Amino acid sequence: MDPLQFLVPLGWLSAVGPALPYAIFVMTVANLATRHLAHRRHVEQGQEADSVEAYTPHVFTNVGLVLLSFVYILGSPVRGTILSVLVLAMFVADFFELEARNVEARNDMTIEAPKSSIAASLVVLVWSSYFALFFLVEGIWNQFVVA
């Protein structure tokens, strides 16, 4: 008996559950790409105006990662909770980095790269790639790590 079966109908999760690590990995890579594009746009906006706006594709990938990580909790509670904490930390870091870019634009400073958001997204990338791409190193891993 699944402990969450009375809270959430989990029938659909058994169909999409095995694909969730791959979807999260793809969304994480897309998030890194949109982070780069958002930074380029923020630099352009900072030179032209006194504020920067959130980049819509990047907001989409952030929200998508949050939602996917919450869905992943239903199928894998421990892995999903750890991933959700990492993704929420990245989400909060993005919020504060956007505010920092606004301060830099208002004070005519150079727009810096969002260092904390990049670090947080790289941690999310490492964690998500471990589950999505483990099959690539599984043979070597099982030879050296005794579980």
Side-chain angles (χ1 to χ4, degrees):
M1 171 155 81
D2 195 345
L4 297 175
Q5 75 182 16
F6 298 111
L7 297 175
V8 179
L10 296 176
W12 63 273
L13 190 59
S14 64
V16 298
L20 276 175
Y22 304 109
I24 292 168
F25 177 71
V26 168
M27 189 68 82
T28 305
V29 172
N31 186 277
L32 283 167
T34 59
R35 184 177 311 282
H36 177 69
L37 295 174
H39 175 64
R40 286 197 326 194
R41 183 169 173 182
H42 291 164
V43 169
E44 292 171 3
Q45 288 177 346
Q47 292 171 350
E48 297 171 1
D50 287 343
S51 66
V52 296
E53 296 176 0
Y55 187 57
T56 306
H58 185 61
V59 172
F60 173 77
T61 58
N62 274 343
V63 172
L65 266 173
V66 169
L67 294 176
L68 283 174
S69 67
F70 287 163
V71 170
Y72 194 49
I73 289 176
L74 297 175
S76 300
V78 175
R79 294 176 181 180
T81 302
I82 294 170
L83 178 68
S84 294
V85 167
L86 295 175
V87 169
L88 287 175
M90 182 190 70
F91 187 78
V92 170
D94 270 340
F95 175 75
F96 284 109
E97 289 286 354
L98 181 64
E99 293 303 315
R101 301 300 77 84
N102 275 323
V103 168
E104 291 170 352
R106 267 186 256 127
N107 295 326
D108 294 328
M109 300 169 65
T110 58
I111 304 294
E112 294 182 8
K115 296 176 191 95
S116 64
S117 297
I118 292 170
S121 63
L122 289 176
V123 171
V124 171
L125 178 69
V126 167
W127 186 256
S128 65
S129 64
Y130 174 73
F131 293 114
L133 304 176
F134 184 71
F135 66 91
L136 296 174
V137 295
E138 186 173 13
I140 297 169
W141 183 271
N142 289 337
Q143 287 179 353
F144 295 108
V145 177
V146 178

